Amino acid sequence: MVSSTIMENGKSIPSRKSTMGIGPGNYRLVGWDMDTTGKKVIDEICQIAGYTPSSSYSQYVMPYKDLNPPAIKRHNMKIVTIGKFRVLKDSTTNKALKTKSEVSALTDFLTWLSSIRGDAADGIILVYHEPRKVIPAMLIESLKKYNLLEKFKEIVKGFANGFNVAEVKCANTVRAYTLRTLSQSLFNRENQLNNAKDRACLALQIVQHLSSLEVTKGNETDGSGDSDSAMKNTVDFIREFVQPVEMEEQEYAELKIVFERQNTLRPIFGALFRVNRRERQHASPLRRLLAEAGIEYSQLQEAWNNGKKEGLEKLIKEKLTSTEEKKIEDLLIVLEDHFDPNKKPKLRISREKNQMKMENSIINEDKENNNKCDSSIGSPDTTTPNSPLKIKSESSESSTIIAEE
């Protein structure tokens, strides 16, 4: 399969519109997943796992950096420093997990894949399940780091995302395509999903089950089970969703170029990312729009020098032809705020004004409620001998203070 490429800024990068799918062949399916310190490509592996009906692999990895808070909650793992040593622990049981270095875990994983490949002459297909495709790129990056990618490509043909399969095959039966939802819908059970080994197992079982449903529709023998014929049916069923390793490499190369462009835009968006979470959520997609359109900081600087706001507007509208007008308008405001030192940041000021209006509205509402409460209470009773107000009324100064309060 050949992917079309485009030239941009003197670099050849693959087109995003590459097609998935592989030809017929003798393949073996393996469920696969990884736990990582975060969801960025630069994050590290802390568990890698594989599953077949006859064999499984699971290994914890000691990363160099700590897991971020969402990863700690998601994977029930944490890193604890004991004296001079760092230990990976299960945060639910507080027990230390047996770990290896990343290179050792990856080497062992390739050895295991090679051993279960058997007579599958055309290689292994790694089946995973992820709404936002990240872990194939993370695995490729890790394999490159230790010069293991070529060996990996000799064993593995490609990746198949079960999320994509479910999205197509279950469109009329379920509303969400997460592992948890599909486990409940297809198997009527609640699976533990905080462990990579459990998710690898479930990812493979889901595509096998969907394959069996497809076969049953054709009035053929049920495709479920672990037999060779059932596995062959599943392979044929999933082939159109397989992304060859070479295509994943090309997509990752494109992604890295986008990241490089995003880094050049740091002078514009860096300050916005430090303001607050709302500002970050607004600025991040705007930055991504520029990077994916092939726009770098130097181009924006040149457009501003040549034509000020009109120059920026011309460049943006030439590159972002299918983008909503509102996003283009917000983008131009951010860019003008950056390149014109005499302008105040409109977006931030407008948000601050809205926030102040909201706070003032709440304060006024509270005052109105307090006034209503005061008027409804009426005059205090001072007829009883032990009334605090009657006791204090002996002092005119005290009664004045009470009246003022």
Side-chain angles (χ1 to χ4, degrees):
M1 183 179 295
V2 179
S3 170
S4 60
T5 59
I6 56 176
M7 292 298 296
E8 196 166 293
N9 298 330
K11 297 177 182 177
S12 174
I13 63 173
S15 169
R16 280 185 177 274
K17 298 178 181 178
S18 56
T19 56
M20 288 191 296
I22 55 174
N26 186 5
Y27 305 105
R28 188 171 302 281
L29 299 181
V30 175
W32 164 73
D33 210 327
M34 298 195 311
D35 287 337
T36 54
T37 56
K39 282 294 186 180
K40 297 179 181 177
V41 177
I42 58 173
D43 283 308
E44 301 173 68
I45 300 169
C46 47
Q47 186 188 11
I48 183 168
Y51 169 85
T52 70
S54 59
S55 180
S56 64
Y57 173 86
S58 177
Q59 179 60 58
Y60 291 102
V61 177
M62 174 55 70
Y64 285 99
K65 65 180 183 180
D66 294 344
L67 286 76
N68 64 27
I72 292 173
K73 185 177 179 180
R74 186 165 54 246
H75 307 319
N76 284 340
M77 282 188 283
K78 61 182 179 180
I79 292 178
V80 179
T81 301
I82 303 175
K84 296 181 179 180
F85 301 97
R86 297 168 75 246
V87 179
L88 186 66
K89 284 192 171 186
D90 185 320
S91 55
T92 56
T93 63
N94 206 35
K95 290 183 178 180
L97 301 168
K98 188 177 180 180
T99 61
K100 287 188 175 183
S101 66
E102 189 175 61
V103 62
S104 296
L106 289 172
T107 303
D108 290 349
F109 181 59
L110 294 183
T111 302
W112 177 76
L113 288 175
S114 182
S115 68
I116 63 166
R117 178 179 177 178
D119 59 353
D122 295 301
I124 283 173
I125 297 171
L126 292 180
V127 180
Y128 67 105
H129 196 104
E130 194 176 35
R132 176 174 167 257
K133 190 176 77 170
V134 176
I135 56 172
M138 297 178 80
L139 180 61
I140 287 171
E141 177 69 10
S142 297
L143 291 167
K144 278 185 176 180
K145 194 190 310 180
Y146 305 110
N147 297 317
L148 294 172
L149 184 58
E150 292 306 316
K151 184 177 179 181
F152 176 79
K153 288 160 72 173
E154 291 173 4
I155 304 169
V156 177
K157 177 64 179 179
F159 300 89
N161 190 349
F163 186 91
N164 296 337
V165 179
E167 205 171 19
V168 173
K169 302 299 182 180
C170 303
N172 299 323
T173 55
V174 295
R175 292 185 178 180
Y177 310 106
T178 62
L179 281 174
R180 192 175 303 281
T181 303
L182 291 170
S183 175
Q184 293 169 343
S185 302
L186 302 178
F187 306 123
N188 195 27
R189 67 175 187 243
E190 188 79 30
N191 284 71
Q192 293 296 322
L193 302 175
N194 56 355
N195 187 287
K197 184 178 178 181
D198 296 332
R199 295 195 303 276
C201 173
L202 185 56
L204 182 60
Q205 288 176 346
I206 284 173
V207 296
Q208 287 178 316
H209 184 80
L210 294 177
S211 168
S212 71
L213 294 177
E214 192 84 359
V215 169
T216 304
K217 283 181 185 178
N219 297 320
E220 300 177 28
T221 305
D222 190 347
S224 61
D226 303 335
S227 66
D228 290 341
S229 60
M231 187 61 72
K232 185 179 182 301
N233 289 333
T234 307
V235 168
D236 291 337
F237 168 77
I238 207 175
R239 277 195 300 108
E240 64 179 299
F241 299 97
V242 176
Q243 183 98 321
V245 178
E246 292 78 11
M247 298 290 286
E248 290 286 353
E249 276 190 278
Q250 290 177 344
E251 279 195 7
Y252 178 50
E254 181 183 1
L255 194 62
K256 285 177 74 174
I257 293 173
V258 172
F259 288 155
E260 289 170 9
R261 292 199 203 104
Q262 286 188 171
N263 287 334
T264 70
L265 300 170
R266 189 173 296 171
I268 300 172
F269 294 95
L272 296 176
F273 275 57
R274 291 191 293 270
V275 175
N276 53 48
R277 184 178 179 183
R278 180 180 291 182
E279 201 75 36
R280 286 197 302 274
Q281 288 176 339
H282 179 77
S284 182
L286 297 179
R287 182 184 65 170
R288 189 167 59 249
L289 273 176
L290 290 174
E292 291 182 350
I295 301 174
E296 297 182 357
Y297 184 82
S298 58
Q299 294 170 275
L300 295 168
Q301 180 77 65
E302 184 180 354
W304 175 262
N305 293 339
N306 292 337
K308 301 299 179 184
K309 183 179 179 180
E310 291 74 16
L312 289 174
E313 190 171 356
K314 181 181 177 183
L315 174 66
I316 295 302
K317 290 189 174 180
E318 281 179 359
K319 296 286 187 177
L320 303 175
T321 54
S322 58
T323 306
E324 298 173 11
E325 283 294 327
K326 180 64 171 66
K327 290 184 179 179
I328 291 178
E329 182 183 335
D330 287 352
L331 192 51
L332 287 171
I333 290 173
V334 170
L335 296 176
E336 192 180 1
D337 290 344
H338 170 74
F339 287 109
D340 189 349
N342 297 321
K343 286 186 68 65
K344 294 181 179 179
K346 292 181 182 177
L347 287 178
R348 201 179 306 166
I349 289 173
S350 65
R351 287 199 184 92
E352 288 173 357
K353 285 182 178 178
N354 290 336
Q355 185 69 22
M356 288 178 64
K357 285 181 182 178
M358 190 180 296
E359 290 175 357
N360 290 334
S361 175
I362 293 170
I363 291 170
N364 292 333
E365 189 176 333
D366 288 343
K367 283 182 178 179
E368 290 177 5
N369 291 335
N370 289 336
N371 291 335
K372 288 178 182 178
C373 289
D374 290 343
S375 62
S376 64
I377 290 172
S379 301
D381 181 17
T382 60
T383 58
T384 57
N386 296 326
S387 170
L389 291 184
K390 187 167 184 178
I391 294 169
K392 289 189 177 181
S393 67
E394 295 176 0
S395 168
S396 59
E397 182 180 355
S398 299
S399 60
T400 303
I401 293 172
I402 292 169
E404 288 176 352
E405 290 176 348

